[in-house]
Amino acid sequence: MAEWGAALAVILGIVEGLTEFLPVSSTGHLILVGHALGFTGDVAANAEISIQLGAILAVIVFEREKIGRLLSGTWQEQGDLRRLVTESRGESWRSLLNTSMKAHPSLWFMIGLGVAFLPAAAVGLLAHGWITSHLFTPRTVAATSILGGFIILLVEARPRPGRTMTLDQVSLAEAVWIGVAQCASLIPGMSRSGSTIIGGLLAGLDRKVATEYSFFLALPTIIAATVYETYKARATFSDQDFLALGIGMVVSFLVAWAVIAAFLAYVQRHTLRVFAYYRIALGLMVFFVFR
């Protein structure tokens, strides 16, 4: 069995950074690599989830200007909304909401992001123990990789023209749909990125917008999961273990930063079919190896 330390952390950091934002499942790949190296058990499960924080920091750095504008806009718009409510006596709530949704795009984008986060958060909180105990296996990853690959091919076979062309145009209804789609990613191998991008495409988002929205939705989703898992693992990890975890996070940050830029450029010119073929081939190979 491989010992958890700096060398293994670097390997897992590279795998995490390469796969977190591609529709191929970073958790699935970490499980496969862990089993291949003999790194399994509680420490492995905790490390595989916690190391994702590095990739999330890469999104924050890469999208820092948009995040800054959204936060600044949200702060200004919530004050404007309070004034609107105060000054609109007698006006219906429906009318107020319609007015606000048009006048306060940053605020409603952030509200939508919170709404999209909730379904997977609720299901994950209730089913996390069962999922990690029963589904963190190579055969589960193989099956869901193949299933996810065919889902991508089905969606790409009948492409829909995107009607939502910028992030601040993503509606509350579209956010709900993407949030429900993200629940599929709780099953190892289904891919959080793949589930949310496909959910976005089906909801009517432009391909680049669906991809970028997936990045933003990863922020609350993975930060919450990482903090929760790291807190739970505080008794499992020693000081040396946390040092190795930090190394893995730095590596995943650097690799993910490069992948984010490359993937955004890729989806503007290409479909996701190549990832579907990769998923199917990977699943078949894993079934053969672990038969």
Side-chain angles (χ1 to χ4, degrees), residues 158-238:
R158 301 183 66 182
R160 303 182 180 191
R163 62 176 181 271
T164 302
M165 306 304 292
T166 62
L167 276 176
D168 59 10
Q169 291 178 340
V170 177
S171 69
L172 205 56
E174 291 167 340
V176 170
W177 175 247
I178 296 169
V180 171
Q182 185 175 230
C183 290
S185 69
L186 295 171
I187 304 173
M190 282 303 291
S191 172
R192 186 206 56 78
S193 175
S195 298
T196 52
I197 292 173
I198 292 299
L201 292 176
L202 291 174
L205 274 61
D206 170 75
R207 188 180 300 276
K208 182 176 181 292
V209 175
T211 302
E212 207 163 4
Y213 194 85
S214 173
F215 294 168
F216 276 84
L217 184 53
L219 296 177
T221 302
I222 297 181
I223 288 174
T226 300
V227 170
Y228 175 71
E229 201 63 35
T230 304
Y231 176 77
K232 279 179 55 184
R234 67 192 187 282
T236 305
F237 286 140
S238 66

